[in-house]
Amino acid sequence: MKLKDLLKNLEIVEINADLEQEIGGISYDSRNTKLGDAFFAIVGFESDGHRFIPMAADKGAAAVICQKAPEIDIPYVIVKDSRLGLALASRDFFGNPAGQMKVIGITGTNGKTTTTYLLKHMLESKLGAKVGLIGTNGNMIGDEFIHSERTTPESYELQLLFREMLDAGCTHVVMEVSSHSLYLNRVAGIDYDIGVFTNLTQDHLDFHKTMEEYAKAKAILFSMCKDGCMNMDDVWFDDISKNAKCRVFTYSTENEAASLCAKNIQLSAAGVSFTAVTDEACETIKLAIPGRFSVYNALGVIACGLKLGMSLKDCADAMAEAHGVKGRMEVVPTDGNYTILIDYAHTPDALENALKALRSNDDGRIVVLFGCGGDRDRTKRPIMGKIAAENADFVIVTSDNPRTEEPQEIINEILGGMQESETPFAVICDRVEAIQWVIDNHEENDVILLAGKGHEDYQVVGHEKHHMDEREIVAEHIEKRKKQ
């Protein structure tokens, strides 16, 4: 591709490069730069890509796209925003593959992962579509699983993934769209067919600082899509929808003015059921994932199905056939008359929803084991402590990705929210020991929630990831108990 074609949609400030020169590829990490690449120097939060222009030049970069002139002699193009430029150039370099598929983006604090998996199931089972999936648990091209580090990849990797999905025959893509990716232009240049807003609760305030700024980031999706399916019951609905540039389709459990309503809601430990009502039809919906939040997840999925031209009956059939998602209220085998669930609940709202979903356990205790991540929003720690103490019968406070913080200091901040509660609790800093302890000290009919890790199979201590899969820990300890 000629440099001029790579740059055709970028806002250019200054050029000293030959626009007719051929570009063999794109890079934004100097370590991955190849001969003939256009190197994009990105101004990041921890480092400035302009510092690495000499290394990219040594690797054979043909030109540099940057925001200030390089200090070495290399062809360059100065643009207003190199991060945005990377997204638009990557899209054009790969031939805008997303534009040749139906792309559905899911944003919100909670429910994104479950919604994408339910959507993928529905599109495959009812439309016969081959579906690509991008999200927190990993990426998928049809049935092929691809490990991922981020909820939403950097723009170059994202466009490459779209290209691979299209080449593999995918007709649809369902993807989680994080607030970071929207704010940092990782998803710039994508024309979404449908955007979904699940909810907004406290998270990522270490990055966005205020809930208002967090909401603004989420709302960007609805300037990028043709149709928006939105949870009308969420307190941030007005903020998200007020500047939407798309058609808005609403869903609700409370407001009959919504485009799609849930009535006659029945909750149980086995799942949820309700009547879905539109102006044209009504159907009974059954989903084998417990919790009131599952009603909202199902509504978001059904709303997408309707916007894609599916019947409400087909949507209902798809929900009835759907199974759970790894790390989302996932049941783990035990050695007795007690239940262990693994859930990703790592925000105040998610933890509260998960615990309330288990309140139908009238025969035994609700026990929760959780911690809070280090180097992240500290304000939510006492809030989550308070929620755990108010909604569980016993609490074990432990570690969850302490990163560079001292684990006990994080725990102390969590305990600050539990001071006024009489709920019994234990503090076990080592998460493996904590899980083993809760198994050894369970009571009959207990429901034990291991919250926070979900699909993750690692613990981040310092800057290093250490393997730690809660499923393995439970299975190994139960096997050890059997031999005693």
Side-chain angles (χ1 to χ4, degrees):
M1 174 180 279
K2 292 185 183 295
L3 182 59
K4 67 178 181 182
D5 296 322
L6 191 70
L7 304 177
K8 63 184 178 181
N9 289 304
L10 278 61
E11 190 171 348
I12 296 172
V13 177
E14 180 185 333
I15 299 177
N16 90 334
D18 179 6
L19 291 177
E20 295 297 323
Q21 72 182 106
E22 289 290 333
I23 297 298
I26 291 173
S27 64
Y28 62 92
D29 185 331
S30 58
R31 294 167 296 184
N32 299 328
T33 300
K34 301 182 297 296
L35 182 66
D37 277 2
F39 175 72
F40 282 74
I42 308 297
V43 179
F45 291 94
E46 296 182 355
S47 63
D48 185 345
H50 292 78
R51 291 172 47 211
F52 303 101
I53 290 175
M55 185 182 294
D58 290 342
K59 289 288 191 73
V64 173
I65 313 331
C66 47
Q67 291 180 208
K68 56 188 177 184
E71 295 179 356
I72 64 169
D73 183 19
I74 186 172
Y76 66 85
V77 179
I78 298 178
V79 296
K80 185 175 181 182
D81 186 335
S82 56
R83 187 182 290 277
L84 174 60
L86 174 64
L88 300 180
S90 297
R91 178 197 62 186
D92 295 340
F93 181 79
F94 289 111
N96 189 18
Q100 301 171 65
M101 299 179 284
K102 292 281 187 183
V103 182
I104 303 166
I106 319 297
T107 200
T109 306
N110 301 311
K112 298 188 297 296
T113 299
T114 300
T115 300
T116 56
Y117 275 81
L118 290 175
L119 260 172
K120 185 175 188 291
H121 162 75
M122 183 172 72
L123 296 172
E124 290 171 341
S125 64
K126 299 304 172 185
L127 296 184
K130 184 168 185 177
V131 181
L133 182 146
I134 301 170
T136 307
N137 276 17
N139 304 325
M140 297 184 74
I141 301 178
D143 295 329
E144 178 191 359
F145 182 83
I146 304 166
H147 178 74
S148 64
E149 293 293 332
R150 291 173 169 166
T151 296
T152 312
E154 185 55 81
S155 56
Y156 174 81
E157 283 79 16
L158 180 60
Q159 293 295 337
L160 171 60
L161 186 55
F162 283 146
R163 183 75 253 174
E164 291 171 344
M165 289 175 171
L166 181 64
D167 291 346
C170 289
T171 56
H172 294 70
V173 178
V174 294
M175 63 179 293
E176 298 181 47
V177 186
S178 68
S179 57
H180 292 71
S181 71
L182 288 159
Y183 182 81
L184 296 174
N185 283 321
R186 289 184 205 149
V187 295
I190 300 171
D191 294 321
Y192 289 92
D193 291 277
I194 300 174
V196 179
F197 168 64
T198 61
N199 51 61
L200 197 74
T201 63
Q202 184 173 336
D203 199 17
H204 302 308
L205 296 192
D206 55 308
F207 182 84
H208 296 292
K209 306 307 179 188
T210 67
M211 287 297 293
E212 287 73 19
E213 290 302 312
Y214 185 26
K216 283 181 184 178
K218 292 291 191 186
I220 293 170
L221 178 61
F222 301 98
S223 66
M224 303 171 63
C225 60
K226 300 179 182 71
D227 287 286
C229 299
M230 300 188 187
N231 177 2
M232 197 176 190
D233 296 341
D234 192 82
V235 295
W236 290 93
F237 166 75
D238 289 340
D239 292 76
I240 298 294
S241 63
K242 64 183 178 184
N243 295 316
K245 297 178 182 177
C246 59
R247 298 180 293 255
V248 175
F249 184 97
T250 54
Y251 57 89
S252 172
T253 67
E254 303 167 2
N255 194 328
E256 294 192 359
S259 312
L260 171 67
C261 293
K263 298 183 178 180
N264 307 318
I265 297 171
Q266 301 292 321
L267 307 177
S268 74
V272 300
S273 68
F274 61 91
T275 304
V277 181
T278 68
D279 288 340
E280 292 83 25
C282 67
E283 290 286 344
T284 298
I285 308 296
K286 293 184 178 180
L287 179 61
I289 305 175
R292 191 173 182 85
F293 55 87
S294 291
V295 176
Y296 284 103
N297 290 341
L299 287 172
V301 173
I302 293 166
C304 286
L306 296 175
K307 297 308 294 183
L308 290 170
M310 295 173 60
S311 70
L312 187 58
K313 176 67 165 60
D314 279 345
C315 294
D317 289 345
M319 293 300 94
E321 298 162 358
H323 301 290
V325 179
K326 182 179 180 181
R328 270 62 180 179
M329 301 301 271
E330 177 186 353
V331 179
V332 180
T334 67
D335 58 349
N337 191 20
Y338 66 105
T339 302
I340 295 179
L341 297 165
I342 294 176
D343 192 79
Y344 191 48
H346 64 289
T347 67
D349 184 66
L351 184 62
E352 183 173 14
N353 283 338
L355 289 170
K356 286 184 174 178
L358 303 177
R359 260 299 144 209
S360 58
N361 180 46
D362 297 327
D363 297 327
R365 302 180 304 169
I366 303 296
V367 179
V368 61
L369 179 152
F370 81 104
C372 289
D375 302 335
R376 298 293 186 268
D377 180 10
R378 293 178 59 181
T379 64
K380 72 180 183 182
R381 294 171 185 173
I383 298 172
M384 292 181 68
K386 185 172 187 290
I387 286 169
E390 288 179 346
N391 292 279
D393 300 305
F394 194 93
V395 179
I396 300 97
V397 185
T398 186
S399 294
D400 183 344
N401 294 335
R403 300 184 177 89
T404 64
E405 288 192 62
E406 177 59 43
Q408 189 60 52
E409 292 181 4
I410 298 173
I411 288 172
N412 290 341
E413 293 185 6
I414 295 171
L415 295 176
M418 300 172 61
Q419 291 178 347
E420 297 180 4
S421 172
E422 296 182 0
T423 301
F425 68 91
V427 174
I428 304 173
C429 193
D430 184 288
R431 193 173 181 106
V432 175
E433 291 180 11
I435 294 171
Q436 294 171 342
W437 185 90
V438 76
I439 293 172
D440 289 340
N441 291 275
H442 78 271
E443 295 180 7
E444 190 172 354
N445 294 319
D446 275 355
V447 174
I448 301 167
L449 177 68
L450 308 182
K453 302 296 291 178
H455 62 283
E456 293 179 354
D457 58 2
Y458 58 84
Q459 181 86 307
V460 184
V461 181
H463 296 287
E464 295 184 2
K465 279 186 177 180
H466 302 270
H467 180 75
M468 192 188 75
D469 189 322
E470 294 186 327
R471 296 153 200 79
E472 295 175 3
I473 295 167
V474 171
E476 289 170 3
H477 192 62
I478 286 175
E479 188 62 29
K480 180 181 177 182
R481 282 161 53 89
K482 290 178 180 177
K483 295 178 181 178
Q484 291 176 342

